[in-house]
Amino acid sequence: MIARLSGTLVEKQPGAAVVDVAGVGYQVAIPLSTYYELGEPGSHVELLVHTHVREDAISLFGFFKRFEKEMFSRLIGVSGIGPRTALAILSGLGASDLVESVRARDVERLSAIPGIGRKTAERIVVDLADRIEALRVPADGGPVTDSGEASDPDLRQDLVSALVNLGYNG
C-alpha cells in the first residue's frame, strides 16, 4: 500500500496531479485544497496518500494535510460514499467546513454539493456525527478573513470548485 509520495511535481490540475518519484510518475486524485497548496510543476512535493484497490483498478488519492486525509477516510467509511464522492465533498466544502456542517447537522449545506442528495447528506450526518465528535479542527483553515469577507484566494478556490463540480477538468 502506498501511504506517502515524495518527489517532483510533474503536472497539476484541479482534481489531479502527477508526482515523479525516482523516475516513476504517479497520478494522484486530489481535492481542490491540495491543488492550491501544491507548488508549480518542477517543485518538490510530499503527499499523504490513500491507496484504493478495486478489482479493476488501483487509485491513489493524495492530500497535503493530515486532517484532510483523516476526513477522507471517515467519509469513505459512510455507506454509499466511495472515494470519488468523498473527494467531491472535500473539494466542495473543505475538511473544516465538513466538520462544522456535520456538527450542526446542516443537511442542506451538504446536499448543495453536486452529486449529494438529501438522503446521502442525512446518512453522512448520522454516520459521521459520532466519529468526528472528538476531532479537533486545525486552526489554519478558516475560509473567511477577519473582516468577514471572502479573500481573493478563497474566491478563486470557490470558482475552481464550481468549475470542477460542473465537470470541467482543465
Side-chain angles (χ1 to χ4, degrees):
M1 174 184 285
I2 298 170
R4 186 177 73 84
L5 290 176
S6 180
T8 304
L9 181 63
V10 175
E11 66 180 74
K12 73 173 187 174
Q13 59 186 351
V18 176
V19 180
D20 181 294
V21 179
V24 178
Y26 293 90
Q27 183 171 352
V28 184
I30 56 173
L32 287 175
S33 52
T34 295
Y35 169 80
Y36 292 117
E37 296 286 343
L38 295 176
E40 294 303 314
S43 63
H44 180 78
V45 295
E46 290 189 28
L47 292 174
L48 299 168
V49 174
H50 170 84
T51 305
H52 186 75
V53 180
R54 289 189 334 216
E55 188 175 299
D56 60 340
I58 298 174
S59 302
L60 302 178
F61 296 86
F63 305 92
F64 193 75
K65 296 180 180 174
R66 186 168 306 284
F67 184 67
E68 288 177 321
K69 183 175 185 243
E70 180 67 29
M71 287 309 301
F72 177 85
S73 296
R74 290 170 193 237
L75 274 170
I76 61 174
V78 174
S79 176
I81 303 291
R84 293 279 174 204
T85 303
L87 205 61
I89 292 168
L90 289 174
S91 289
L93 271 183
S96 298
D97 288 340
L98 173 62
V99 170
E100 289 175 21
S101 296
V102 170
R103 285 182 177 160
R105 299 193 176 278
D106 191 350
V107 173
E108 297 302 320
R109 188 172 185 190
L110 290 168
S111 60
I113 300 168
I116 305 298
R118 184 163 185 81
K119 287 185 179 184
T120 302
E122 289 171 350
R123 192 174 325 113
I124 290 170
V125 167
V126 169
D127 287 0
L128 288 185
D130 293 336
R131 293 188 220 173
I132 66 167
E133 196 58 42
L135 265 183
R136 188 177 60 83
V137 179
D140 65 350
V144 179
T145 62
D146 291 338
S147 67
E149 297 176 3
S151 64
D152 288 341
D154 293 324
L155 177 60
R156 182 167 185 243
Q157 182 175 356
D158 289 345
L159 290 172
V160 173
S161 174
L163 289 171
V164 169
N165 288 328
L166 289 171
Y168 179 75
N169 288 325

